[in-house]
Amino acid sequence: PLNRTRSLVASMAFGFAYENYTFANPATMEFRDGMMRPVMLDQSIKKSKLRASYIHIPVVLDWNIRRGFFISAGFNFDILMSSALKYKFPKTKIRHETGLAPIQAGVTARIGWNRLYAYFNYSLVDMYRHNVGPRGHRLSAGVGFSF
């Protein structure tokens, strides 16, 4: 607690984030000429996707308004645990050659009641390593619970 009424609290947690990106067209990414590049696949290919899992560490300032209702804001750090490119028919999986940045840092916001909350995360770091893949930032929103 940061004040006497315990309405303002600094907190840190550990979590696990699993992200699953599905490509709209029959395409995948391939490491070629020192960079991740999109590659079109045969029309018969189904379910082409990129999967990544992270250790998620949010550091937030919680404002406990009343009766379990709270708003939080702060920073989050993500450490890449594993990643893979995958498509089916024929089933193909490429692990660890995805070009994703090993560490992400960004901002987070939450609103919730008791142990249930809605969250919003935005990464300030490009999703892919510098000069290895396309530029872009991770953005996620969802529902979570604490225990």
Side-chain angles (χ1 to χ4, degrees), residues 6-60:
R6 295 178 170 250
S7 63
L8 205 55
V9 177
S11 64
M12 179 180 142
F14 290 95
F16 181 74
Y18 181 80
E19 297 179 355
N20 203 3
Y21 302 95
T22 303
F23 298 107
N25 297 320
T28 190
M29 300 288 283
E30 183 179 276
F31 192 74
R32 192 175 40 186
D33 302 325
M35 189 166 194
M36 291 301 290
R37 299 183 187 277
V39 175
M40 295 306 292
L41 299 169
D42 187 321
Q43 291 291 340
S44 65
I45 301 295
K46 303 286 186 227
K47 286 191 174 183
S48 178
K49 61 184 180 176
L50 167 65
R51 174 196 55 75
S53 58
Y54 296 89
I55 292 176
H56 181 70
I57 306 168
V59 179
V60 297

Side-chain angles (χ1 to χ4, degrees), residues 34-127:
M35 189 166 194
M36 291 301 290
R37 299 183 187 277
V39 175
M40 295 306 292
L41 299 169
D42 187 321
Q43 291 291 340
S44 65
I45 301 295
K46 303 286 186 227
K47 286 191 174 183
S48 178
K49 61 184 180 176
L50 167 65
R51 174 196 55 75
S53 58
Y54 296 89
I55 292 176
H56 181 70
I57 306 168
V59 179
V60 297
L61 186 61
D62 299 316
W63 179 30
N64 298 305
I65 298 171
R66 66 177 178 181
R67 293 192 177 149
F69 182 71
F70 67 92
I71 297 173
S72 302
F75 297 96
N76 59 347
F77 305 94
D78 295 323
I79 301 166
L80 183 65
M81 291 177 47
S82 68
S83 63
L85 289 160
K86 178 174 148 180
Y87 55 89
K88 292 187 176 184
F89 308 119
K91 187 174 181 179
T92 304
K93 187 182 266 189
I94 302 162
R95 295 178 190 248
H96 308 298
E97 292 184 18
T98 58
L100 295 175
I103 296 177
Q104 295 282 316
V107 293
T108 186
R110 299 174 184 192
I111 186 168
W113 181 69
N114 288 335
R115 295 177 182 246
L116 184 66
Y117 60 89
Y119 68 87
F120 170 83
N121 297 328
Y122 179 74
S123 179
L124 301 172
V125 177
D126 279 337
M127 186 172 173

